[in-house]
Amino acid sequence: MTDEVLKTEQSNSNNDEQNENVIFEPEEAPRKHPFKKFFNKVKTYFSNPSNIIILVFGIFLSVLVIYPLGRMVFSSFLVQTSFEADKLNQTYSLALEEGDFTFMMWPYTLFNPDPLNIKVSQNLFWIPMGKSILMALLACLIAITVGGTLAFLISRTNIPFKKVLSTIFVFPYIMPSWSMAMFWENFFKNNVASSQIGLLQSLTGICVPIQLIYGFWPTAIVLGIHYAPFAYILIGGILRNMDANLEEAATILKASRFKILRRITIPIVAPAIISTILLVFSSSISSFTVPSFLNKDGSFSSISIELKNKLSSSDGRGSGYVIATILMLFSILILTINNWFTKSRRNFTTVSGKSGQINKINLGKIGKWIIAVLVLIFVLFFAVVPLITFVLESLESNPGDIGSISSKYWFSQEAVMEDTYISSRGYSLNGIFFNDTIMNSFGRSVLLATIVAIICGTGGILIGYAVSKNRRSKLANYVSSLAFLPYLIPALCFSSVFFAVIKTETFQFLDATTTFLESSAIIICVVVGGIKFLPFASRSGTNAMLQLSGEIEEAAIINGCPWIKRMFRIIFPIQKASFISGFLLPFISCMREYTLFVLLTRPSTLIVNVLDYYSRNGADQLANGMNLLIVLFVIVVNLLVNWVTGASIDKGIGG
């Protein structure tokens, strides 16, 4: 038995040795192409529509935002004309030629040492900048005082007419800022300050000083009133959402109404006040239209007027780019401070799940009506009276004479006035509805606004979709930030960015001042307007997409629904209101914009150009009629936005 066991073990041992000598070669794995893994990743990446959108807009916005910005800054270091080269050579003993790179343009603009005129830099930059800063500060004070007071009355008192006041008060913000400037002139002008009389002198015989018609003070007041609804919206929204328990607790502790206002209400609305101050300041200091319309006596030259004059001339374009760069950096700094301050107050909780019942201040049975009537008169004066003055000024053959009303300025098929200067330059003087110059420019404005609205609305939806699907992606954050960047740049500075581009040989075909083609101006205006107004649509689209649950689209994907069908059949119908706003709001903004296009167009390109031209050359009836036409068109479209989307910027603030 033992021998058999030994033989068995020996046999097994021999078999193991034989098995060890056998080499088992593994089957050869299929060889992969070295780039196949990379191609698979690329294919997977581009199979997601949101990735394609992000990449396309990343390239698109980099070219149309970063490049022009860099080009403008770079242009501030270039000798633009031979005249500038001669000036720099004489001042600094150089040998520069047109197109040379130099750092001396900056000290020449800011600290010009010209011995023949030591005030060159002061008159060009420092004095206009100082006046503009003071003007912007005064406009901020007016906007905060007027808008904040009305917001407090509507949200914290028992004042009547809340809905009416809330609706009408936003009209000055809906209307173009230069409409308010024209109204101011129409109302206060008199035969002492000018050759015409306004509505005030016509009705009362009162003649106000010229300093209240043209110059620093009326510019600040008009801008303050124009931006007052902006302050009203921001401050009113916070007051409406504020937890009532904060004020109720102070009332229980027998704090006075003034102390509650000083220690509780004002600190809570401080972020909105700071944001309003910074945004109104930034917008006012770079405003061109209002200072331009109210500077007929030449007493107030703002920094924006100096910027436009320098860029439009051939002897100071380099200095213009320097001013534009400084103004752009100044505005970005202001808005960066605003963003920092807003973020630093994120933990300042004012809305909770507790009581929302606000104990409103009782103004008394008589007091509330007195205050309501006074506020209503004030609001109507700046919201409704301007429309009345535009109607009268467009009908009166003799300004200020109601008895000289005639409809010829609207319906005449022949020239309504004799002006060889205007007619010799190809501008029609027929009635508005039979005036080829006015109607053609109005049509181009509508065409421009429509194309810009389509670009901005579509781009906003796509960017919103892509950003919402790639929130953790650095590229998505880059595209989102880049789409919002044009909002931070003042309109005139943003216009000067592309003005520098079309002055290069490569893009000179877009310069209407050299091609004399309106199509060149429209093309560059479409590009500029499409980028400048994209922030409105992109924010609207992003917010709308972030509100949608991902499960909605995932269910459609599981059922094999393609991307195009998902967008048109599911996503767009759900957020239709927000998306339509993304189309219509840029349309309204573009239709009433002038500052953004003034450097890129000819005097006959857009309706606002023709309006400005007629106003400066004495055709006041036609100018006022055009102003009324634009304002009514903008208001009607704005009401259409509210009707289609069901949203209103003043909604919810009133009681």
Side-chain angles (χ1 to χ4, degrees):
M1 190 71 180
T2 305
D3 294 337
E4 293 178 1
V5 173
L6 292 174
K7 290 179 180 180
T8 302
E9 292 178 355
Q10 186 177 0
S11 176
N12 293 336
S13 177
N14 293 334
N15 291 335
D16 293 338
E17 291 177 1
Q18 292 177 2
N19 292 335
E20 290 177 0
N21 295 328
V22 177
I23 299 176
F24 295 96
E25 296 182 359
E27 296 183 3
E28 185 176 357
R31 299 182 63 184
K32 293 184 178 181
H33 194 280
F35 296 104
K36 190 172 184 179
K37 186 177 181 180
F38 173 76
F39 289 145
N40 287 336
K41 288 184 177 180
V42 173
K43 183 179 179 181
T44 302
Y45 181 85
F46 284 103
S47 64
N48 188 342
S50 64
N51 293 334
I52 300 177
I53 295 171
I54 284 292
L55 185 61
V56 170
F57 274 97
I59 298 173
F60 176 78
L61 291 175
S62 296
V63 173
L64 292 180
V65 177
I66 300 299
Y67 169 73
L69 284 175
R71 182 69 201 183
M72 187 196 71
V73 176
F74 181 71
S75 296
S76 67
F77 295 96
L78 294 179
V79 180
Q80 298 295 322
T81 62
S82 57
F83 180 85
E84 288 183 346
D86 294 339
K87 285 293 184 180
L88 290 172
N89 293 337
Q90 294 175 7
T91 304
Y92 298 103
S93 301
L94 301 173
L96 297 173
E97 297 181 357
E98 181 179 346
D100 287 351
F101 182 90
T102 178
F103 290 99
M104 303 312 296
M105 185 59 66
W106 283 71
Y108 177 80
T109 302
L110 301 180
F111 310 101
N112 194 317
D114 186 357
L116 299 179
N117 188 0
I118 60 175
K119 294 184 178 181
V120 171
S121 295
Q122 294 180 16
N123 296 330
L124 172 63
F125 179 78
W126 295 108
I127 293 178
M129 178 60 87
K131 290 183 177 179
S132 298
I133 290 175
L134 293 176
M135 178 267 295
L137 290 174
L138 181 58
C140 290
L141 179 62
I142 295 172
I144 291 294
T145 303
V146 175
T149 301
L150 186 62
F152 180 81
L153 289 173
I154 288 181
S155 62
R156 282 291 183 274
T157 69
N158 62 339
I159 186 175
F161 308 135
K162 290 184 179 182
K163 185 62 179 178
V164 175
L165 291 172
S166 183
T167 301
I168 297 178
F169 187 64
V170 299
F171 274 29
Y173 190 66
I174 294 173
M175 291 190 295
S177 59
W178 40 263
S179 294
M180 293 297 300
M182 289 190 70
F183 156 67
W184 189 272
E185 181 187 22
N186 290 339
F187 189 83
F188 289 105
K189 64 184 178 181
N190 51 66
N191 53 14
V192 176
S194 65
S195 59
Q196 300 176 347
I197 63 174
L199 186 60
L200 180 64
Q201 185 181 10
S202 176
L203 296 177
T204 65
I206 298 176
C207 296
V208 299
I210 190 173
Q211 292 83 0
L212 291 180
I213 307 174
Y214 304 111
F216 174 86
W217 293 102
T219 301
I221 294 172
V222 168
L223 285 172
I225 296 298
H226 177 67
Y227 290 111
F230 184 68
Y232 161 72
I233 294 167
L234 289 181
I235 298 174
I238 290 183
L239 289 173
R240 178 178 60 85
N241 293 324
M242 191 177 71
D243 185 6
N245 285 336
L246 298 172
E247 294 178 327
E248 290 175 2
T251 303
I252 293 172
L253 294 174
K254 297 184 179 181
S256 64
R257 179 61 63 178
F258 177 76
K259 192 171 185 179
I260 294 174
L261 179 67
R262 182 172 56 89
R263 300 293 296 273
I264 297 177
T265 307
I266 292 180
I268 286 176
V269 300
I273 294 176
I274 296 298
S275 295
T276 303
I277 290 174
L278 294 175
L279 293 174
V280 172
F281 182 86
S282 177
S283 300
S284 298
I285 198 173
S286 59
S287 174
F288 168 75
T289 51
V290 175
S292 177
F293 271 97
L294 296 179
N295 190 42
K296 291 185 178 180
D297 64 339
S299 63
F300 175 59
S301 181
S302 68
I303 191 65
S304 58
I305 294 178
E306 291 296 334
L307 170 60
K308 196 266 181 182
N309 291 340
K310 286 299 178 183
L311 290 178
S312 299
S313 65
S314 59
D315 60 347
R317 196 171 297 155
S319 297
Y321 290 133
V322 172
I323 297 174
T325 302
I326 294 174
L327 196 58
M328 180 187 69
L329 296 176
F330 191 63
S331 298
I332 292 177
L333 175 63
I334 291 173
L335 294 173
T336 301
I337 295 173
N338 171 63
N339 293 336
W340 171 82
F341 184 84
T342 303
K343 290 180 180 180
S344 68
R345 298 296 296 269
R346 280 180 177 174
N347 294 328
F348 194 72
T349 304
T350 62
V351 180
S352 68
K354 298 181 180 180
S355 172
Q357 185 64 34
I358 301 174
N359 185 21
K360 296 183 179 179
I361 300 174
N362 187 356
L363 299 176
K365 293 182 179 181
I366 300 178
K368 68 178 182 180
W369 288 103
I370 294 176
I371 295 176
V373 170
L374 293 176
V375 173
L376 185 61
I377 293 174
F378 179 85
V379 171
L380 290 175
F381 179 76
F382 287 104
V384 178
V385 176
L387 301 180
I388 298 175
T389 63
F390 298 151
V391 172
L392 293 177
E393 291 288 335
S394 67
L395 296 174
E396 295 172 347
S397 299
N398 300 318
D401 183 7
I402 300 179
S404 64
I405 287 180
S406 172
S407 62
K408 64 179 182 179
Y409 297 102
W410 288 89
F411 301 102
S412 176
Q413 300 183 36
E414 299 178 352
V416 294
M417 60 184 68
E418 295 183 3
D419 193 310
T420 56
Y421 179 83
I422 295 178
S423 58
S424 64
R425 283 158 177 77
Y427 291 83
S428 173
L429 289 171
N430 294 356
I432 292 175
F433 290 126
F434 295 93
N435 189 306
D436 293 338
T437 304
I438 295 176
M439 288 293 102
N440 291 337
S441 63
F442 184 77
R444 283 190 289 268
S445 294
V446 174
L447 175 64
L448 171 63
T450 302
I451 298 174
V452 168
I454 293 173
I455 293 174
C456 292
T458 305
I461 293 173
L462 295 176
I463 291 176
Y465 175 84
V467 169
S468 65
K469 298 297 179 182
N470 298 272
R471 275 174 281 181
R472 297 182 180 180
S473 169
K474 292 182 179 180
L475 182 58
N477 293 330
Y478 170 76
V479 171
S480 180
S481 300
L482 207 56
F484 190 70
L485 180 61
Y487 177 78
L488 304 179
I489 304 174
L492 192 61
C493 291
F494 195 77
S495 177
S496 64
V497 167
F498 287 86
F499 182 82
V501 173
I502 64 175
K503 290 301 179 182
T504 61
E505 293 184 2
T506 306
F507 297 99
Q508 196 171 10
F509 69 96
L510 296 176
D511 187 2
T513 59
T514 57
T515 64
F516 300 102
L517 297 175
E518 304 294 2
S519 57
S520 298
I522 295 297
I523 292 172
I524 189 62
C525 286
V526 165
V527 176
V528 175
I531 299 173
K532 179 62 178 176
F533 300 122
L534 183 61
F536 300 109
S538 65
R539 291 299 175 179
S540 176
T542 302
N543 293 335
M545 291 304 306
L546 290 175
Q547 293 175 352
L548 285 177
S549 172
E551 298 174 354
I552 298 176
E553 190 176 6
E554 289 174 4
I557 294 174
I558 293 173
N559 289 321
C561 183
W563 180 76
I564 295 292
K565 196 172 184 179
R566 296 198 303 268
M567 291 295 294
F568 282 97
R569 290 292 190 89
I570 300 174
I571 296 176
F572 189 87
I574 293 176
Q575 293 289 38
K576 179 176 61 176
S578 298
F579 290 154
I580 291 178
S581 296
F583 284 94
L584 292 179
L585 292 178
F587 179 90
I588 294 173
S589 301
C590 187
M591 190 67 201
R592 64 189 179 96
E593 183 59 50
Y594 181 48
T595 302
L596 184 64
F597 303 130
V598 65
L599 289 173
L600 308 173
T601 53
R602 301 175 66 227
S604 59
T605 303
L606 302 175
I607 185 70
V608 288
N609 298 110
V610 178
L611 188 156
D612 182 45
Y613 186 84
Y614 280 160
S615 178
R616 293 181 185 281
N617 290 281
D620 292 333
Q621 290 89 348
L622 295 179
N624 280 277
M626 294 165 61
N627 198 3
L628 179 65
L629 181 66
I630 298 172
V631 170
L632 290 179
F633 184 80
V634 169
I635 291 176
V636 169
V637 174
N638 182 75
L639 294 176
L640 179 64
V641 172
N642 296 338
W643 178 72
V644 173
T645 64
S648 176
I649 58 177
D650 67 288
K651 186 177 181 180
I653 297 179

